[in-house]
Amino acid sequence: SDVCSSDLLRLLDISKVNKCLPGIYACLYTAIIPHFHHYRSSLQPLELGYNVGMRNGDVSYATVCIRQFCVHLFHCGEELATVERIMRKYDKIMMELKQEIYQKQNFPYWQAVLNLMGHSHDPEQLIGEVMNQQQLLEETIGCKRSRSTAIIYHIQSWLAYIFGNHESASRIMEKRQAIILTTNPPFLSCSLSFVEGLISFAMAHKTGETKWSVLGLKCIEEIEKYSTRAPSNCKHKLLVLQAESAFVAGEYQIAQEKYDEAIDSAGKNNFIQDQALAFERQGIFHINQGNTSMASLCFAQAHSAYLAWGAKRKADLIRVKFSF
């Protein structure tokens, strides 16, 4: 499929104003290209698809392209203030174009950005300037938009995990897992496996229950598939989960090596948000091992990385929760 998509792209490059381009780019750079290449490689084509669609009057596919542009920007680890500014810009355009469904699909990501930046009362809840999670859930459930509902739960569980409420994260995760999704674009499948693996291993630490380790190992199996095809997007996520699995199993030397590899891989591929998380988890690992000096160094690096990402609310939590 990678070869076929490359051939198709060469044909499309002959005419940038091809009326088919927005729809084809929306499909390729949402569901195919991210299977093999870094999410960032999709940004410019998706923006092009939007611009061509708007010129040709193909408002629907133009909107799909720019919605996915915003989602990829979020997953790439772009500085959050930049993500927020761009999401705000295109939200206004989608509203003017009356593309309400696509507009609302961005809401969980946008509100999460605001929460991380510190612009919400409760950072774990998708409630604030952009959306109210209960109202949007009622709408998506009522309209049977399963993927939109799953994404709301997914982002909720991720925020709960990020801000240290693992029990809440696990409960929300179970709601997400009750939704059957037959097919997912690669960015979503990879994110689901990563976040739900993190939550599962956190609960394994907390409860000692085998079922959580089993769930975590299933997430590792799933993310391994994506890591093989697109290591630039997924390898560091796999390494973090492998480190967490080894930590739970008491394989401390392996855990240390995997954390180091994850930090290096995330840094090389510019996923600063995941690098920050890996530093944080490594710090917690060192606390467990009684190595407070190494833990302090890891927490300081996590704090710096979260700040560089623009997640001030999370960085402040690291400063308060851990001494370094």
Side-chain angles (χ1 to χ4, degrees), residues 273-324:
Q273 78 279 31
D274 295 331
Q275 187 180 50
L277 176 64
F279 275 129
E280 180 185 358
R281 295 304 306 169
Q282 188 178 46
I284 292 169
F285 167 78
H286 283 304
I287 286 178
N288 178 270
Q289 299 300 294
N291 192 340
T292 55
S293 60
M294 281 300 298
S296 293
L297 176 60
C298 290
F299 291 134
Q301 290 171 312
H303 180 265
S304 295
Y306 280 125
L307 280 181
W309 183 33
K312 185 179 183 302
R313 188 71 169 265
K314 174 61 179 179
D316 289 346
L317 180 62
I318 292 285
R319 174 69 73 180
V320 170
K321 191 173 181 180
F322 306 107
S323 58
F324 57 90

Side-chain angles (χ1 to χ4, degrees), residues 97-170:
L97 295 172
K98 296 181 171 56
Q99 298 293 308
E100 184 180 15
I101 291 177
Y102 298 130
Q103 178 192 13
K104 289 184 176 181
Q105 287 173 351
N106 268 357
F107 281 2
Y109 298 101
W110 187 10
Q111 186 61 55
V113 169
L114 290 170
N115 288 15
L116 289 160
M117 293 172 69
H119 303 315
S120 65
H121 177 69
D122 184 346
E124 292 181 34
Q125 304 297 315
L126 290 171
I127 300 173
E129 178 188 350
V130 172
M131 65 173 282
N132 179 297
Q133 60 192 26
Q134 192 56 43
Q135 291 176 1
L136 192 56
L137 277 170
E138 288 174 1
E139 179 181 324
T140 59
I141 293 170
C143 296
K144 298 182 179 179
R145 297 185 203 134
S146 298
R147 182 168 291 146
S148 293
T149 303
I151 288 172
I152 295 170
Y153 286 138
H154 173 52
I155 300 297
Q156 278 185 294
S157 67
W158 175 66
L159 285 173
Y161 176 85
I162 284 289
F163 287 100
N165 193 342
H166 299 153
E167 294 90 345
S168 176
S170 69

Side-chain angles (χ1 to χ4, degrees), residues 215-282:
L215 283 172
L217 290 171
K218 286 181 179 177
C219 291
I220 286 177
E221 289 178 9
E222 188 65 24
I223 211 167
E224 278 178 334
K225 303 172 189 175
Y226 296 98
S227 179
T228 300
R229 291 192 291 258
S232 60
N233 293 328
C234 304
K235 183 180 178 181
H236 65 280
K237 293 179 171 67
L238 172 62
L239 289 165
V240 171
L241 292 187
Q242 289 173 334
E244 292 290 293
S245 177
F247 186 7
V248 169
E251 299 170 345
Y252 300 129
Q253 183 60 40
I254 293 174
Q256 175 62 62
E257 292 170 0
K258 295 295 183 180
Y259 283 125
D260 286 340
E261 291 175 32
I263 288 164
D264 182 62
S265 178
K268 285 180 179 177
N269 290 293
N270 297 311
F271 286 96
I272 193 168
Q273 78 279 31
D274 295 331
Q275 187 180 50
L277 176 64
F279 275 129
E280 180 185 358
R281 295 304 306 169
Q282 188 178 46

Side-chain angles (χ1 to χ4, degrees), residues 79-96:
E79 203 273 329
L80 290 177
T82 300
V83 178
E84 200 281 327
R85 175 177 53 80
I86 290 172
M87 285 187 168
R88 187 175 296 274
K89 170 187 172 182
Y90 287 117
D91 176 75
K92 182 179 179 181
I93 292 171
M94 285 187 277
M95 182 170 60
E96 290 172 350

